[in-house]
């Protein structure tokens, strides 16, 4: 396993093109791969999670060619190959989307994944799909989905989760009748936006999304930049004395931008250009160094910006006071137990963090020191450690190659090593 040394930064002045959005790219591959006809996906991410989705859809019969950052997809027209094994790699989004999508179509599909994904539970999605009549033999991978025969029902989110919601909505595309999904915390809505784009009968009214059996057709999809990836350089610019960074083309979907709200409430000097684009708007975001006051994150913000919490917690080490992240229990079921790995990372570099009853607390202003972090194969922890290292006193991270799961060019683009 490689180890990477990150040095303390004495300045930071960068302009970066935002890495393409992983969530939107995975959805584009899965949904366009299932639709009838041709699609073009522009600005697609070729991170490992997206490539896992591409391989799965190819096995199901989709034709997918990737040329640079454009994908040309010929979908299976709602009728995938019927008896296949699908390797979702490390990608929870791929696994949940496929679980829902395939639950509604004839065939027998076995989902497998790497060791980390095989340790994650899919019980909530599986139970909701079972309420629709799905036959899914296990709530961990490997699991076999015997698809077909679904009926639309009314479901309610037990825990806010865009992946669970997506599984249900994709199942709803093939189910008889009407599927309704109610969420009282509005999670990322990329699936809804894309389903509408490819012609699904889907509407939202208040907290409830309604979907009916639909035939999907190919479309042109433009992938925005990934605000989760933009968070790393923006946080570095805020923390390093004299720092400045502009990230261009960042997706600014209202269900993804909580991270910016949290930073700005803490005094973060962040400015935006006017949003442009259609369904998934983008803008350029600039952050400049400033003194941060403590952060306070509510449960609903934490649910929506769940992937950014480790990095915000690391940045909170440099704020002057105690930061509080509520609803942090949701971090436990990710690629690692991110409550544990976030605290471990912060402590390894001299910071102070603890967890109690769903609340992650970080005491800012402790004197940071050089340290070693094992990111345990978790891309977000590797990048979080790098951010805290360069804003603090440097660090050595083992296992950094896992950044390719979401942001293959992270070290060159953001850190410069
Ligand atoms: C994702 C949703 C989030 C996030 C994950 C990607 C998605 O998970 O953590 O990395 O693409 O829908 P939840 O399902 O917990 O919201």
């Amino acid at each position: 396993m490689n180890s990477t040394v990150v040095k303390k930064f004495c300045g930071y002045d960068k302009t970066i093109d935002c890495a393409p959005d992983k969530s939107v790219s995975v959805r584009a591959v899965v949904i366009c791969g299932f639709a009838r006809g041709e699609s073009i996906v522009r600005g697609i991410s070729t991170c490992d999670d997206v490539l896992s989705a591409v391989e799965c859809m190819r096995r199901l019969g989709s034709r997918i060619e990737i040329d640079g950052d454009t994908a040309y997809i010929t979908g299976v027209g709602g009728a995938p190959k019927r008896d296949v094994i699908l390797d979702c790699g490390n990608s929870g989004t791929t696994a949940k989307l496929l679980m829902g999508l395939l639950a509604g179509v004839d065939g027998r599909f076995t989902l497998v994944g790497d060791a980390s994904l095989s340790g994650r539970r899919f019980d909530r999605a599986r139970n909701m799909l079972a309420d629709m009549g799905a036959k899914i033999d296990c709530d961990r991978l490997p699991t076999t989905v015997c698809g077909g025969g679904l009926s639309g029902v009314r479901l309610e989110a037990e825990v806010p989760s865009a992946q669970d919601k997506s599984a249900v909505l994709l199942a709803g595309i093939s189910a008889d009748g009407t599927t309704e999904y109610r969420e009282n915390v509005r999670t990322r809505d990329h699936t809804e936006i894309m389903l509408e784009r490819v012609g699904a009968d889907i509407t939202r009214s208040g907290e409830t999304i309604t979907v009916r059996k639909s035939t999907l057709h190919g479309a042109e999809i433009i992938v925005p930049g990934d605000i989760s990836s933009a968070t790393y350089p923006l946080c570095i610019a805020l923390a390093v004395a004299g720092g400045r960074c502009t990230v261009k083309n960042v997706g600014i979907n209202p269900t993804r931008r909580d991270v910016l709200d949290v930073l700005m409430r803490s005094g973060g000097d962040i400015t935006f250009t006017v949003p442009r684009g259609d369904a998934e708007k983008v803008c350029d975001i600039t952050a400049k160094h400033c003194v941060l006051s403590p952060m306070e994150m509510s449960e609903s913000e934490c649910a929506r910006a769940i992937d950014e919490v480790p990095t915000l917690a690391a940045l909170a080490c440099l704020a002057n006071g105690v930061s509080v992240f509520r609803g942090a229990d949701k971090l436990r079921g990710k690629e690692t137990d991110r409550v544990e790995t976030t605290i471990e990372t912060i402590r390894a570099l001299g910071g102070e963090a603890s967890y109690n009853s769903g609340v992650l607390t970080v005491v800012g202003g402790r004197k940071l020191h050089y340290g070693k972090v094992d990111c345990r194969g978790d891309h977000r922890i590797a990048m979080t450690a790098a951010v805290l290292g360069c804003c603090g006193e440097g660090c050595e991270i083992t296992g950094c190659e896992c950044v390719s799961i979401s942001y293959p060019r992270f070290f060159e683009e953001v850190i410069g090593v």
Side-chain angles (χ1 to χ4, degrees), residues 3 10 34 75 122 134 147 149 156 225 247 268 272 297 311 324 349 366 386 394 408:
S3 86
C10 297
F34 184 73
F122 297 91
E156 186 147 345
V247 189
F272 316 82
M297 209 166 177
T311 317
V324 177
L349 303 187
R366 294 283 179 262

Side-chain angles (χ1 to χ4, degrees), residues 41-357:
V41 185
R42 300 193 193 280
I44 194 168
S45 168
T46 50
C47 68
D48 291 354
D49 273 6
V50 176
L51 296 179
S52 295
V54 166
E55 276 319 306
C56 290
M57 292 315 295
R58 282 183 178 148
R59 283 192 168 257
L60 288 166
S62 321
R63 258 207 357 254
I64 305 177
E65 277 163 42
I66 299 180
D67 182 8
D69 67 354
T70 304
Y72 300 89
I73 301 180
T74 309
V76 295
K81 286 190 185 154
R82 285 177 171 219
D83 197 354
V84 283
I85 297 176
L86 302 164
D87 186 353
C88 304
N90 189 255
S91 177
T93 306
T94 302
K96 285 217 197 145
L97 262 58
L98 287 177
M99 197 179 261
L101 185 78
L102 298 172
V105 295
D106 288 341
R108 195 167 179 280
F109 312 96
T110 299
L111 303 175
V112 303
D114 71 5
S116 151
L117 191 61
S118 305
R120 293 171 67 177
R121 292 191 61 191
F122 297 91
D123 50 335
R124 292 189 312 260
R126 178 180 176 240
N127 291 343
M128 288 193 284
L129 294 169
D131 288 344
M132 298 174 75
K135 296 171 281 304
I136 301 171
D137 73 356
C138 183
D139 65 6
R140 281 179 205 266
L141 304 192
T143 187
T144 297
V145 180
C146 288
L150 300 190
S151 309
V153 291
R154 192 173 289 177
L155 293 162
E156 186 147 345
E158 208 183 289
V159 167
S161 162
Q163 293 180 344
D164 292 349
K165 170 176 66 177
S166 301
V168 169
L169 298 180
L170 290 172
I173 290 300
S174 307
D176 286 332
T178 302
T179 301
E180 282 182 17
Y181 187 85
R182 184 166 166 271
E183 52 174 7
N184 56 17
V185 172
R186 185 168 182 166
T187 59
R188 63 185 74 182
D189 59 2
H190 305 306
T191 301
E192 295 91 303
I193 291 174
M194 204 173 295
L195 282 175
E196 202 182 329
R197 180 94 193 180
V198 298
D201 182 351
I202 182 166
T203 52
R204 178 171 195 118
S205 167
E207 295 179 340
T208 303
I209 306 148
T210 304
V211 62
R212 294 187 185 82
K213 196 176 216 161
S214 308
T215 301
L216 310 183
H217 55 72
E220 180 182 9
I221 307 283
I222 298 173
V223 178
D226 197 325
I227 198 165
S228 302
S229 299
T231 298
Y232 307 109
L234 293 174
C235 286
I236 295 173
L238 290 173
V240 171
R244 183 212 66 93
C245 176
T246 297
V247 189
K248 292 162 88 176
N249 284 318
V250 185
I252 196 80
N253 178 321
T255 60
R256 292 289 297 278
R257 52 160 292 161
D258 292 67
V259 58
L260 302 175
D261 298 338
V262 173
L263 287 170
M264 287 164 75
R265 276 207 309 271
S266 298
D269 181 349
I270 296 177
T271 50
F272 316 82
T273 57
V274 176
R276 53 188 183 270
D278 53 10
E280 296 278 5
K281 293 211 180 330
V282 297
C283 70
D284 304 339
I285 304 181
T286 298
K288 290 189 187 140
H289 173 65
C290 59
V291 177
L292 290 171
S293 49
M295 292 174 213
E296 174 109 32
M297 209 166 177
S298 67
E299 286 194 22
S300 53
E301 286 173 329
C302 201
R304 277 191 297 264
I306 189 73
D307 295 339
E308 290 79 80
V309 175
T311 317
L312 291 176
L315 187 69
C317 294
L318 300 149
N320 57 6
V322 179
S323 295
V324 177
F325 302 89
R326 298 181 208 287
D329 44 308
K330 264 209 86 200
L331 291 166
R332 304 216 98 140
K334 296 296 176 185
E335 284 84 331
T336 54
D337 175 340
R338 285 189 182 148
V339 167
E340 209 174 281
T341 45
T342 300
I343 291 177
E344 203 174 276
T345 301
I346 288 174
R347 288 184 182 161
L349 303 187
E352 187 179 334
S354 57
Y355 174 80
N356 196 357
S357 311

